[in-house]
Amino acid sequence: MSGSLARLEAFIAAWRGPMSGGSAAVRIEVRALSAPPGLHFACADSFVTGFGYQAIGANWELLDAEGPPDAPRSASAALAEAFAQDMIVPARPWLGEAAAREMAAAFIGCFDPGQRQIVTNRMYFGWHPISAASIEWAFVAFDDSAAALLLATAEG
């Protein structure tokens, strides 16, 4: 098992429970990669369609996996934003700000810093759905040995 897969298993063990406390359903899928991932959107599409979700092509937004939370297109900021507040009732905390930032750092840290890429289907201007849910936020992260889907969906 690659280091990334082992770190992802630890992430899932630590965060599956806390992420299940909101109004959204959370799905985490992990797979080993047998070949280098290639283009970020092609890798994301190939990965999510393997679980029955819709491909969105170039509409995957490549995030900055290395940038601080205040950087444009920051992966840590996007992940924290997705899980800090409830998806249906944003005034209600989900993980809360501090725990969401901790979860984001843990997820990003699962992947090799020299190879990791993280994409999302949702940014400030809206989202491109991969599921039939009325509200969703998807992240696909990968390095040269593993990929993971972190998908939150809700009906609002």
Side-chain angles (χ1 to χ4, degrees), residues 68-90:
D70 60 348
R73 297 178 30 235
S74 166
S76 62
L79 281 157
E81 182 181 348
F83 290 92
Q85 305 305 117
D86 188 89
M87 290 179 81
I88 294 176
V89 183

Side-chain angles (χ1 to χ4, degrees), residues 53-145:
Y53 295 110
Q54 178 178 310
I56 60 172
N59 290 314
W60 287 105
E61 179 75 20
L62 182 61
L63 299 173
D64 181 357
E66 308 305 319
D70 60 348
R73 297 178 30 235
S74 166
S76 62
L79 281 157
E81 182 181 348
F83 290 92
Q85 305 305 117
D86 188 89
M87 290 179 81
I88 294 176
V89 183
R92 183 173 50 203
W94 183 353
L95 292 179
E97 295 292 329
R101 284 191 303 272
E102 183 182 337
M103 181 279 302
F107 184 69
I108 293 167
C110 290
F111 300 92
D112 176 359
Q115 302 292 323
R116 68 180 158 216
Q117 295 186 61
I118 302 172
V119 297
T120 185
N121 69 333
R122 185 173 176 168
M123 289 299 287
Y124 64 90
F125 50 81
W127 79 87
H128 299 276
I130 65 168
S131 76
S134 62
I135 304 170
E136 73 176 44
W137 204 326
F139 296 89
V140 177
F142 53 91
D143 59 18
D144 59 348
S145 66

Side-chain angles (χ1 to χ4, degrees), residues 15-39:
W15 288 100
R16 184 180 297 277
M19 287 192 297
S20 298
S23 60
V26 176
R27 184 169 181 182
I28 306 170
E29 296 291 348
V30 174
R31 281 205 184 129
L33 295 179
S34 58
L39 291 172

